[in-house]
Every structure is written in C-alpha cells, then in structure tokens.
Amino acid sequence: PFSLLATDKSHHHDVGEFLSVESSVTISQKEAHDIITAADWKHATKVDILFDDDFYEPEELVLTPGQAYILKIKNVGEKRHDISGEEFFSNIVVKQISNKGLAVSAYHIEAIHVLAEEEVEVWLVPKNVGEFPFICTLPGHMHDGMEGMLTVKEKKSTD
C-alpha cells in the first residue's frame, strides 16, 4: 500500500536527478533520535493532506519547528502518488510511517508513495525554519499541478 525510499548510506535507490542520496541526510542518527525523543507525542498535532490526481490539498503545510505532528496522507485519486523532495525530507525528522497496522521507523527517507484510495500516517518533527518544496515525482504529475510547500515557522507570541 505504500513504499519508502531510504537515504542512509546502507541503502541506495536510483530516484533520478530530483533527489540526492548523499545530501538528503543532514543530521546523524543520534541527532534524529534526540529530536524524536524530545518531541511531545502525547500532544502531537494531527494534519491532513489529500493526494488527488492533479493536486495536493492543502498545497502548503505550515508547521512549527520542534513540534510533534502526525501527518495523515490520504490518496483520493485514481492513481498512485508520492510526496518527494530533498529539501522537504531534509528538514523533517520522521519517527514512523504507518499503514493498516504496519509501522516502519525511518529517520531519513526520500519519498512516500501511496496507492489510490490508501491512507498513510507520518509521525514527524520539523527541524528548521524555512520553505521546503515537495512534488509528486511520477511522470507528468508535477506538471499537472502536484507541487506543494512545507513552511516551517516559529509560532508568534500572543503577549
């Protein structure tokens, strides 16, 4: 129902020019573990994103660095889609990805592929403030409109 592309040096996958195995891993496994351990998973914010055959909904995810999130991806399209992006995955730390009772732990990934009418949960923590694009890398999908942006920014104080 879903597949992962690993980015650590023990796994190598040919994912084309858009993604780079070497530059995708920007922190050590220990640093990733520390970020995941420090996050408040009891109060994780749930965020939904839909994959359709020519768009993501929403197109922009706005998250706060250091906060725990459970991203629920639902593919409502008739085709398989993915979420890929070197900058996107370099600026989040993934605790786990789950689907139908199967959970996979993977700090560093390059893409998540989701079949039509499937759902996947991604437990993640954003690391850095900034804007980080993501796309569907399947042929023609990006050009049909499957582009999005992860915006990570500090919460404004309500003083």
Side-chain angles (χ1 to χ4, degrees), residues 34-69:
D34 292 346
I35 290 169
I36 293 298
T37 303
D40 181 2
W41 294 103
K42 288 182 184 176
H43 298 100
T45 301
K46 294 187 179 182
V47 177
D48 293 329
I49 184 170
L50 298 179
F51 291 8
D52 207 331
D53 289 332
D54 58 0
F55 63 88
Y56 295 112
E57 177 63 42
E59 291 180 358
E60 180 181 28
L61 300 172
V62 180
L63 308 179
T64 303
Q67 184 173 331
Y69 290 91

Side-chain angles (χ1 to χ4, degrees), residues 2 41 44-51 56-63 67-75 82-84 88-89 92-99 109 111-112 114 118-126 134 149-150:
F2 73 97
W41 294 103
T45 301
K46 294 187 179 182
V47 177
D48 293 329
I49 184 170
L50 298 179
F51 291 8
Y56 295 112
E57 177 63 42
E59 291 180 358
E60 180 181 28
L61 300 172
V62 180
L63 308 179
Q67 184 173 331
Y69 290 91
I70 300 173
L71 179 63
K72 183 176 180 181
I73 299 171
K74 183 174 183 179
N75 185 348
D82 69 22
I83 186 167
S84 300
F88 176 85
F89 283 110
I92 64 171
V93 179
V94 175
K95 177 182 182 187
Q96 73 178 32
I97 300 172
S98 59
N99 171 267
I109 56 177
I112 300 170
V114 184
E118 289 289 330
E119 292 183 20
V120 174
E121 283 188 351
V122 183
W123 296 42
L124 64 91
V125 178
F134 57 88
M149 183 69 65
L150 168 64

Side-chain angles (χ1 to χ4, degrees), residues 2-158:
F2 73 97
S3 64
L4 304 174
L5 297 176
T7 62
D8 62 52
K9 292 179 182 173
S10 64
H11 300 85
H12 179 75
H13 302 276
D14 181 13
V15 294
E17 294 179 15
F18 184 78
L19 301 171
S20 167
V21 172
E22 292 301 318
S23 61
S24 292
V25 179
T26 58
I27 63 171
S28 71
Q29 187 169 348
K30 182 187 179 331
E31 289 171 305
H33 175 78
D34 292 346
I35 290 169
I36 293 298
T37 303
D40 181 2
W41 294 103
K42 288 182 184 176
H43 298 100
T45 301
K46 294 187 179 182
V47 177
D48 293 329
I49 184 170
L50 298 179
F51 291 8
D52 207 331
D53 289 332
D54 58 0
F55 63 88
Y56 295 112
E57 177 63 42
E59 291 180 358
E60 180 181 28
L61 300 172
V62 180
L63 308 179
T64 303
Q67 184 173 331
Y69 290 91
I70 300 173
L71 179 63
K72 183 176 180 181
I73 299 171
K74 183 174 183 179
N75 185 348
V76 296
E78 295 180 10
K79 304 172 191 169
R80 176 175 64 107
H81 295 292
D82 69 22
I83 186 167
S84 300
E86 181 178 341
E87 290 183 23
F88 176 85
F89 283 110
S90 291
N91 286 286
I92 64 171
V93 179
V94 175
K95 177 182 182 187
Q96 73 178 32
I97 300 172
S98 59
N99 171 267
K100 295 183 179 178
L102 172 67
V104 177
S105 294
Y107 292 131
H108 306 291
I109 56 177
E110 290 180 350
I112 300 170
H113 297 261
V114 184
L115 297 178
E117 300 181 17
E118 289 289 330
E119 292 183 20
V120 174
E121 283 188 351
V122 183
W123 296 42
L124 64 91
V125 178
K127 293 186 321 184
N128 303 311
V129 171
E131 292 184 334
F132 312 106
F134 57 88
I135 64 168
C136 183
T137 61
L138 297 168
H141 292 204
M142 180 182 79
H143 298 293
D144 289 342
M146 291 197 74
E147 297 180 83
M149 183 69 65
L150 168 64
T151 301
V152 181
K153 60 184 179 181
E154 297 289 346
K155 280 190 176 179
K156 292 186 179 180
S157 157
T158 56

